Amino acid sequence: MAAQSHSVTAVSLRGVGKTFANGVSALSDFSFTVRDGEFVSLLGPSGCGKSTALRIIAGLMPPSLGQADVLEGRRRAGEIGFVFQEPTLMPWATVADNVRLPFRLRGDAGGDTERKVAQALERVGLAGFAGAYPRELSGGMKMRVSIARALVTEPSLLLMDEPFAALDEITRFRLNNDLLALWRMLRCTVIFVTHSVFESVYLSQRIVVMTPRPGRAFRELVIDAPYPRDEAFRTSADYAGYCRRVSETLAEAMADNTGEAA
Ligand code: ADP
Ligand code: MG
């Protein structure tokens, strides 16, 4: 794989707990670290606190307990890209205007903005769609716009919250491949949330399997397969073996009730 240095810690959660005002405990004693340049998935059942963990990492909400650290300076505007499950595009704005949003929010209309918008669109394969409106795009294309918007500031940390869950399988596979190519080109750190065993194995260098709510790290699995990964990997015995192991671990995690509030 690319010469990415994985020695620096990019994100570190230590004993993170999160209890909401209504008493719901979403996370309890959740710890894991991500090294700079790594591609890590958080895999767990719906409601186990994955989105909560991402929001805490992004600095959008504080943990109730414990520490959530992001590499020095990485919480500055533009250093974190966030992609949600829904593309959340402004329907009245063109594709280019949607991608330009992070700059507008920063009040930054610098001379480089237009070049960066065009480059982000090109990187997600939408070079010809700058003037199109969201309603003219397919679900996969809307998600590409959403990814371009997250990448336009060239973030060093990309947080993705089940971005492809609503897409059909063919589109999802294609976006998986394109995401891996972007990660290898941009050398950013990716934390990818999913409840799909297959997707987590295909994409990740490492998978953090979470318990049901309150979520914590049940076990980590290394997917020691080389990149680039492609359809040959997807149909390989190695891939099937990893998927089986991860599925078994997830089943074990599901049966783990030790963290459950009494
Ligand atoms: P996941 O992304 O793994 O599906 P979430 O992090 O969205 O899980 O939610 C974990 C739990 O916390 C769920 O039970 C959810 O209902 C609850 N929760 C999430 N956000 C809030 C909130 N703002 N207030 C109260 N409960 C919340
Ligand atoms: Mg979620």
Side-chain angles (χ1 to χ4, degrees):
M1 58 163 296
Q4 285 166 335
S5 155
H6 286 175
S7 50
V8 179
T9 299
V11 174
S12 149
L13 267 60
R14 275 167 291 156
V16 164
K18 182 71 190 180
T19 303
F20 290 105
N22 62 359
V24 170
S25 177
L27 298 170
S28 172
D29 198 17
F30 187 25
S31 301
F32 75 103
T33 61
V34 179
R35 289 179 297 279
D36 206 19
E38 231 187 336
F39 196 122
V40 171
S41 285
L42 300 183
L43 175 70
S46 171
C48 80
K50 302 182 296 296
S51 297
T52 301
L54 274 197
R55 273 183 242 134
I56 288 172
I57 292 166
L60 297 173
M61 61 163 73
S64 314
L65 273 175
Q67 283 280 116
D69 295 319
V70 173
L71 192 63
E72 190 62 33
R74 292 284 169 84
R75 279 202 181 118
R76 273 200 302 264
E79 284 295 325
I80 296 182
F82 209 124
V83 180
F84 302 93
Q85 180 170 350
E86 301 296 328
T88 58
L89 304 179
M90 303 177 290
W92 61 85
T94 63
V95 163
D97 282 339
N98 270 285
V99 173
R100 198 178 287 114
L101 182 68
F103 292 123
R104 279 188 48 205
L105 292 176
R106 275 174 15 182
D108 179 356
D112 234 11
T113 303
E114 289 319 297
R115 186 188 59 80
K116 285 182 177 167
V117 168
Q119 185 180 53
L121 284 174
E122 192 184 315
R123 282 176 171 164
V124 299
L126 289 180
F129 292 86
Y133 285 86
R135 63 174 177 274
E136 302 173 78
L137 306 180
S138 67
M141 290 162 84
K142 284 181 196 155
M143 187 46 74
R144 286 175 186 278
V145 177
S146 178
I147 293 171
R149 183 181 55 196
L151 292 178
V152 76
T153 58
E154 303 184 326
S156 49
L157 176 59
L158 185 58
L159 305 176
M160 307 186 82
D161 194 356
E162 307 201 39
F164 310 141
L167 302 176
D168 67 83
E169 201 166 73
I170 304 282
T171 305
R172 186 175 189 163
F173 287 178
R174 200 172 291 147
L175 279 158
N176 283 169
N177 289 338
D178 292 352
L179 172 61
L180 284 182
L182 283 168
W183 167 63
R184 284 162 55 79
M185 178 174 75
L186 303 174
R187 309 217 171 167
C188 51
T189 308
V190 180
I191 303 181
F192 189 95
V193 160
T194 181
H195 57 241
S196 163
V197 168
F198 304 104
E199 185 167 57
S200 66
V201 171
Y202 187 72
L203 295 174
S204 323
Q205 294 176 303
R206 196 153 53 87
I207 300 172
V208 177
V209 178
M210 294 175 67
T211 65
R213 187 169 68 79
R216 63 187 166 77
F218 177 75
R219 197 175 297 153
E220 296 189 6
L221 293 127
V222 171
I223 309 302
D224 191 15
Y227 296 88
R229 294 179 184 172
D230 53 18
E231 297 317 310
F233 175 56
R234 213 189 269 287
T235 51
S236 69
D238 269 359
Y239 178 70
Y242 279 122
C243 288
R244 194 176 57 242
R245 240 166 294 158
V246 174
S247 289
E248 286 165 2
T249 305
L250 188 58
E252 277 181 62
M254 292 299 292
D256 186 286
N257 296 320
T258 53
E260 208 168 59

